[in-house]
Amino acid sequence: MNVLNADLHCHSTASDGTLPPASVVRRAHANGVDLLALTDHDELLGLPEAVATAEELGLRFVPGVEVSVSWLDQTVHVVGLGVDYTHQPLVDGLAHVRAGRDGRAARIAAELERIGISGALEGALRYAGNPSLLSRAHFARFLVEVGAARSVHQVFDHYLARGKPGYVEHVWATLDDAVGWIRGAGGLAVIAHPGRYRLSHAEMDILFDRFRDLGGEGLEVACGAHDGGQVLAFARLARKFGLLASRASDFHGPEDSLIDLGRAPLLPPDLTPVWTRLV
Ligand code: AMP
Ligand code: MN
Ligand code: MN
Ligand code: MN
């Protein structure tokens, strides 16, 4: 590999990953990652342990977060890289987003109850390493456990994706707030896994324009959710909008992820990688 093996987006038990922060860092190191960011959903709790483990191993580490945002009628994820995780507006903003998750979890459980699946809130909580961060991934693991579906992936197809019986609408942070919190904490804002959003080309352009106007700087071009064609398509958009390119596995655990830490596709070589601004 002629470039750094950077992995700038993954999860631990501080959100919906299945490995504790120290284990995520050790696994990344064992996989040959040179630069790692832990980016739990709406949560900074795992970062001190990850920083300490990375120091012990001599692995370069960037503190991060993945903020849930509502934009138009979609949920968009914005990754913050290199954030000061003691910065009060970021800490307070994320606490507010997490508080919204509690109400949403109760509504998801009520929807599942209506189709005859009871005890989902308690069931999901048993899978949560951090009770203040309940994710649909925790509900998915519970639904597999009770035999409602064969795999976490099938759960999303049948229950938890938009339009399915266990899905509820929810309003997350605004794009302005999310980018503002990240930048205020000294971080660099990156749009996560753009290939997952159901946005038209025109809407995607509006999103990237607005994101740039707010001071957002990066786009996840190479990630676990993108096939080769999508890597090329989002590379074109990174060039068009002058965005730095990020590379990320979005790893959630050995049994729960499309790809392992450090195994995302490589970035097209002409792009400016986001890590030129991080190291
Ligand atoms: P939430 O932020 O609570 O809405 O949960 C989103 C999380 O659910 C994502 O970060 C993934 O961990 C998981 N997820 C979403 N869609 C899928 C899918 N199709 N297959 C597997 N996991 C998914
Ligand atoms: Mn997740
Ligand atoms: Mn995400
Ligand atoms: Mn993620």
Side-chain angles (χ1 to χ4, degrees):
M1 190 173 299
N2 60 350
V3 289
L4 210 67
N5 185 356
D7 192 336
L8 299 176
H9 175 168
C10 65
H11 298 272
S12 75
T13 47
S15 65
D16 57 4
T18 61
L19 300 179
S23 306
V24 172
V25 174
R26 288 185 197 291
R27 188 181 182 94
H29 186 250
N31 281 5
V33 171
D34 302 308
L35 177 69
L36 178 72
L38 176 68
T39 57
D40 277 304
H41 297 285
D42 308 317
E43 179 60 274
L44 305 164
L45 196 66
L47 292 172
E49 180 180 313
V51 167
T53 310
E55 243 166 53
E56 200 182 297
L57 297 170
L59 171 62
R60 275 190 281 179
F61 181 81
V62 175
V65 65
E66 181 176 17
V67 185
S68 311
V69 164
S70 292
W71 192 79
L72 299 182
D73 64 343
Q74 293 277 310
T75 299
V76 168
H77 286 172
V78 178
V79 162
L81 297 175
V83 293
D84 168 4
Y85 49 88
T86 65
H87 185 71
Q88 207 58 45
L90 175 66
V91 169
D92 293 346
L94 294 177
H96 183 73
V97 178
R98 287 196 302 277
R101 278 184 177 272
D102 294 340
R104 184 187 71 143
R107 288 184 286 129
I108 292 175
E111 286 302 306
L112 292 172
E113 184 89 49
R114 277 155 45 93
I115 56 164
I117 300 170
S118 50
L121 186 57
E122 299 71 24
L125 271 168
R126 277 194 278 108
Y127 288 92
N130 172 7
S132 79
L133 202 296
L134 261 186
S135 145
R136 280 184 293 160
H138 300 119
F139 281 95
R141 290 170 198 151
F142 166 73
L143 287 168
V144 172
E145 176 195 313
V146 298
R150 272 206 303 272
S151 68
V152 161
H153 189 75
Q154 273 197 355
V155 173
F156 280 89
D157 286 349
H158 297 297
Y159 296 95
L160 297 179
R162 189 176 229 166
K164 302 299 173 186
Y167 182 85
V168 301
E169 294 295 337
H170 186 66
V171 179
W172 302 102
T174 64
L175 186 66
D176 296 39
D177 278 347
V179 176
W181 297 332
I182 291 166
R183 284 171 53 81
L188 198 147
V190 178
I191 294 183
H193 43 62
R196 285 198 12 203
Y197 310 134
R198 298 214 174 151
L199 296 170
S200 66
H201 289 300
E203 288 168 334
M204 200 76 86
D205 281 3
I206 296 168
L207 170 65
F208 293 169
D209 263 335
R210 178 73 190 143
F211 179 68
R212 288 240 48 174
D213 286 349
L214 292 169
E217 292 168 275
L219 182 67
E220 254 176 37
V221 169
C223 68
H226 289 174
D227 62 27
Q230 286 174 311
V231 172
L232 294 178
F234 289 107
R236 272 196 301 278
L237 287 175
R239 289 183 201 105
K240 174 174 169 187
F241 288 90
L243 291 164
L244 301 166
S246 193
R247 175 174 186 256
S249 64
D250 202 4
F251 179 77
H252 280 72
E255 58 297 290
D256 259 46
S257 295
L258 294 170
I259 57 166
D260 209 330
L261 291 159
R263 305 277 194 263
L266 293 180
L267 290 176
D270 67 296
L271 297 181
T272 307
V274 77
W275 54 84
T276 57
R277 296 279 307 281
L278 297 171
V279 291

